[in-house]
C-alpha cells in the first residue's frame, strides 16, 4: 500500500465532519464469505439469472430458497472480521454523523456493532410474503419451503434481485448520506452494480446545503475497481488489514 496515500487518508479522516461508507462483498471476504464476482459469474455454482432474478424465483422457487438457505447458514457460521470491527469503531467515534451503506446481505456489519446500516439489497435474515408483502425475521426453525404466517402465501427472500427496485426508503436514506457526507469510504466493491455504485459520483459532486465542499472519496480494495478513476485516495490491500490500520493511526 502506498504510504503517502495512507497518510492522505488519515488526514481526510481526521478532518471529516460526516463519514459515509459504501461496502460490497469484499469487506466480508476475510470472514470467509465468497465475493459475488470472483467466481466468474457463477455464484456458488449457480448462474445469476437462476438465483438472483424474479424470473429465476418464479421458475424454481425451491432452487432459489436452497441457494439463500445455504448462504444464510454460511453467514451464521462466520464471524465479522477486523475490517467490520474497525467500521463499528468508526461509528462509535462519529455517531450520528456516520452512515454505513452496504450492498451486502450477510448482516455482518450489524453483528460487528454498526447501528446506522442501510441495507440496499435486503438481508439474508428476512423473508417477504409474495401475497401480502409481510416482511419478517427468519427464525432458527425456518422450513425449507416457507409460507406466510399471516396469509399462507409463498415467502421469498427479502433480497433485491436484478431488475428489481431497491427499497425506496432505504435508497433515499443512502442518497441523503451520500449528499451529507464530506468523506466517503468505498470498501470492497467492484462498483459495477447500479444504483448502488451511483452513490459514489453523487457524494463527489453533491454539496451540502451549508457549504460547497463535496465529498472526498477513499477507495479500499485489493485491486482497482470501476470507481478507481473517480476516487481521491486509493488504498490497495485487504480491508481487514487496512481499516484497522486507519483506525489505529487516528487514535
Ligand atoms: C435495478 C442480491 C431497475 C443480493 C444483488 C440489464 C438488465 C437488467 C438490469 C440491468 C442491466 N444493466 C444494468 C442493470 C441494472 C442492474 C445492474 O447494475 N447490473 C450490473 C451487473 C450491470 N441493477 C439492478 O438490476 C438493480 N435494480 O436497476 O432496477 C428498475 C428500474 C425501475 C423499475 C424497476 C427496476 C438491482 C441491483 C441489486 C441486485 N442484487 N444482489 C444478494 O443475493 O447478494 S447485487 C450483487 O452485486 C450483490 O448484492 C453484491 O453485493 C453486488 C455488488 O457486487 P460487490 O459487492 O461489488 O461484489 P463483487 O464480487 O462484484 O466485488 C467484490 C469486490 O471486493 C472486488 O472489487 C474485489 O476486488 C474486492 N475484494 C475482494 N476481497 C477483498 C476485497 N476488497 C477488500 N478486501 C478484501 N479482502
Ligand atoms: Zn402473507
Amino acid at each position: 500500500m502506498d504510504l503517502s496515500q495512507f497518510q492522505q487518508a488519515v488526514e481526510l479522516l481526521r478532518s471529516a465532519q460526516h463519514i459515509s461508507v459504501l461496502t460490497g462483498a469484499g469487506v466480508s471476504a476475510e470472514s470467509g464469505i465468497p465475493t459475488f464476482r470472483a467466481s466468474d459469474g457463477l455464484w456458488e455454482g449457480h448462474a445469476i439469472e437462476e438465483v438472483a432474478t424474479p424470473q429465476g424465483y418464479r421458475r424454481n422457487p425451491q432452487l432459489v430458497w436452497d441457494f439463500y438457505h445455504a448462504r444464510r447458514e454460511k453467514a451464521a457460521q462466520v464471524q465479522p472480521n477486523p475490517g467490520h470491527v474497525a467500521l463499528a469503531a468508526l461509528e462509535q467515534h462519529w455517531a450520528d454523523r456516520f452512515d454505513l451503506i452496504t450492498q451486502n446481505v450477510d448482516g455482518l456489519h450489524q453483528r460487528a456493532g454498526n447501528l446506522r446500516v442501510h441495507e440496499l439489497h435486503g438481508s439474508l435474515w428476512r423473508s417477504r410474503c409474495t401475497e401480502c408483502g409481510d416482511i419478517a425475521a427468519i427464525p432458527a426453525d425456518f422450513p425449507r419451503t416457507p409460507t406466510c404466517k399471516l396469509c399462507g402465501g409463498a415467502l421469498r427472500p427479502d433480497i433485491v434481485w436484478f431488475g428489481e427496485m431497491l427499497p425506496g426508503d432505504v435508497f433515499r436514506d443512502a442518497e441523503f448520506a451520500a449528499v451529507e457526507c464530506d468523506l466517503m469510504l468505498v470498501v470492497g466493491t467492484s462498483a459495477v452494480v447500479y444504483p448502488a455504485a451511483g452513490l459514489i459520483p453523487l457524494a463527489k459532486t453533491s454539496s451540502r446545503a451549508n457549504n460547497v465542499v463535496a465529498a472526498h472519496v477513499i477507495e479500499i480494495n485489493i485491486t482497482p475497481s470501476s470507481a478507481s478513476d473517480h476516487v481521491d485516495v486509493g488504498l490497495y490491500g485487504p480491508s481487514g488489514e487496512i481499516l484497522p490500520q486507519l483506525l489505529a493511526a487516528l487514535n
Side-chain angles (χ1 to χ4, degrees):
M1 180 179 54
D2 176 327
L3 282 183
S4 67
Q5 291 277 296
F6 183 81
Q7 209 38 52
Q8 271 188 57
V10 174
E11 295 314 315
L12 287 171
L13 274 161
R14 279 210 177 99
S15 55
Q17 296 304 307
H18 187 129
I19 297 181
S20 287
V21 183
L22 174 66
T23 62
V27 81
S28 295
E30 290 158 82
S31 295
I33 294 197
T35 61
F36 179 68
R37 271 172 201 81
S39 47
D40 51 64
L42 274 190
W43 207 0
E44 309 232 29
H46 292 290
I48 306 304
E49 300 70 35
E50 266 186 307
V51 291
T53 62
Q55 296 80 0
Y57 173 78
R58 276 196 293 278
R59 247 193 321 272
N60 189 340
Q62 193 59 62
L63 173 80
V64 172
W65 264 118
D66 290 346
F67 172 67
Y68 282 97
H69 288 323
R71 288 181 61 202
R72 188 175 70 252
E73 281 145 24
K74 170 98 185 181
Q77 289 155 11
V78 304
Q79 297 303 320
N81 66 60
H84 292 109
V85 174
L87 289 174
L90 282 181
E91 179 173 343
Q92 290 281 327
H93 186 275
W94 270 270
D96 63 351
R97 293 176 299 116
F98 179 96
D99 283 276
L100 202 160
I101 306 161
T102 189
Q103 300 170 87
N104 299 342
V105 295
D106 55 34
L108 288 176
H109 287 306
Q110 293 92 326
R111 283 177 53 196
N114 278 105
L115 302 171
R116 294 167 59 86
V117 181
H118 309 287
E119 290 180 314
L120 297 180
H121 296 161
S123 170
L124 289 172
W125 304 99
R126 293 193 300 269
S127 65
R128 188 182 338 145
C129 178
T130 58
E131 300 292 332
C132 71
D134 181 54
I135 291 176
I138 289 182
D141 62 347
F142 198 54
R144 188 170 164 243
T145 313
T147 52
C148 179
K149 285 200 170 25
L150 302 183
C151 76
L155 296 184
R156 58 168 279 175
D158 186 29
I159 292 278
V160 180
W161 286 323
F162 286 100
E164 294 188 319
M165 293 280 281
L166 276 59
D169 53 342
V170 175
F171 192 62
R172 192 195 53 242
D173 292 347
E175 284 184 311
F176 183 77
V179 169
E180 238 342 74
C181 72
D182 57 343
L183 180 61
M184 176 175 270
L185 306 185
V186 176
V187 187
T189 183
S190 56
V192 296
V193 173
Y194 284 81
L199 294 169
I200 303 166
L202 179 64
K204 269 194 82 63
T205 49
S206 59
S207 57
R208 296 191 296 174
N210 52 357
N211 82 36
V212 292
V213 173
H216 285 96
V217 179
I218 298 171
E219 174 170 50
I220 297 170
N221 198 315
I222 51 171
T223 56
S225 73
S226 304
S228 300
D229 293 346
H230 313 293
V231 303
D232 300 285
V233 176
L235 304 176
Y236 295 105
S239 51
E241 292 172 19
I242 292 177
L243 286 166
Q245 287 166 354
L246 284 172
L247 188 71
L250 280 180
N251 293 334

